[in-house]
Amino acid sequence: MKANNFRLNDVVYCEKEQYNELERFMYNLIIEDVQNENDNIFESLNDTLLKDDRRLDCLLEWCATYKNPAFAEEKEVRIWCSRKLYREKIEFRHSQGSIIPFMNFSFDASCIAEIVLGPKFTEANEPAYLESFLFHNKLEHVNLISSKATYR
């Protein structure tokens, strides 16, 4: 997969910044409809958000970029691609009674500096698996940090 087919987005944890971005996003949608001389802006927004791939992709990307401030220590980066590319490249696997969608792509493992273990992870349950995972994926150099966030 080429680099220009996806983007890396830093997750935003600040609620004020999240609100400001949503406000800007909605303002731009409304301005676009006003410029297109649509009579019923809100009906048009609903229609175009559901039918216009570009707008829906923007909204979905916006939603996927924000996270509760309790997780700020993770300094997470998310990979984003359009729904069109996702539909073309999606694969599925089965895990614990669920079908899990995923996309395969390669990257240099040296770009990962640390992994934050979520609140549900307990090394006591799976110590050998974690060590094997790191070795198998050439991630022995990675610092492991336990999350301070609680699972809700």
Side-chain angles (χ1 to χ4, degrees):
M1 190 173 343
K2 295 179 184 174
N4 61 352
N5 288 332
F6 63 92
R7 285 191 297 281
L8 295 176
N9 293 335
D10 290 328
V11 170
V12 176
Y13 301 96
C14 174
E15 289 178 344
K16 183 176 180 169
E17 191 175 338
Q18 293 172 8
Y19 177 82
N20 289 341
E21 283 295 313
L22 178 60
E23 190 175 64
R24 184 185 60 77
F25 175 76
M26 294 305 295
Y27 176 80
N28 287 337
L29 287 181
I30 291 170
I31 290 300
E32 190 173 318
D33 278 344
V34 168
Q35 289 171 344
N36 292 333
E37 299 178 8
N38 290 332
D39 291 333
N40 188 334
I41 292 172
F42 294 105
E43 185 177 303
S44 173
L45 278 175
N46 187 39
D47 242 8
T48 56
L49 275 175
L50 298 177
K51 294 177 185 170
D52 180 341
D53 273 355
R54 180 186 54 85
R55 285 181 171 193
L56 187 54
D57 274 348
C58 287
L59 181 61
L60 292 172
E61 182 175 4
W62 180 87
C63 291
T65 305
Y66 299 98
K67 199 168 180 181
N68 186 301
F71 295 93
E73 68 179 320
E74 295 176 359
K75 300 177 196 143
E76 187 174 340
V77 176
R78 294 195 175 165
I79 300 170
W80 178 259
C81 69
S82 70
R83 289 180 307 121
K84 180 181 184 297
L85 178 65
Y86 184 74
R87 285 190 297 263
E88 293 170 1
K89 302 290 184 182
I90 190 170
E91 297 180 46
F92 297 92
R93 65 182 174 83
H94 180 264
S95 177
Q96 298 178 356
S98 297
I99 297 173
I100 311 295
F102 70 95
M103 289 178 66
N104 258 328
F105 64 96
S106 300
F107 62 92
D108 184 355
S110 68
C111 70
I112 299 176
E114 68 183 27
I115 295 175
V116 178
L117 304 171
K120 288 180 75 175
F121 181 85
T122 58
E123 197 169 349
N125 295 343
E126 307 176 39
Y129 296 131
L130 180 58
E131 192 174 303
S132 295
F133 172 82
L134 295 173
F135 178 79
H136 178 75
N137 291 287
K138 298 179 176 69
L139 295 170
E140 300 97 333
H141 66 280
V142 172
N143 293 324
L144 297 176
I145 299 170
S146 294
S147 176
K148 293 177 188 148
T150 58
Y151 182 73
R152 296 186 254 164

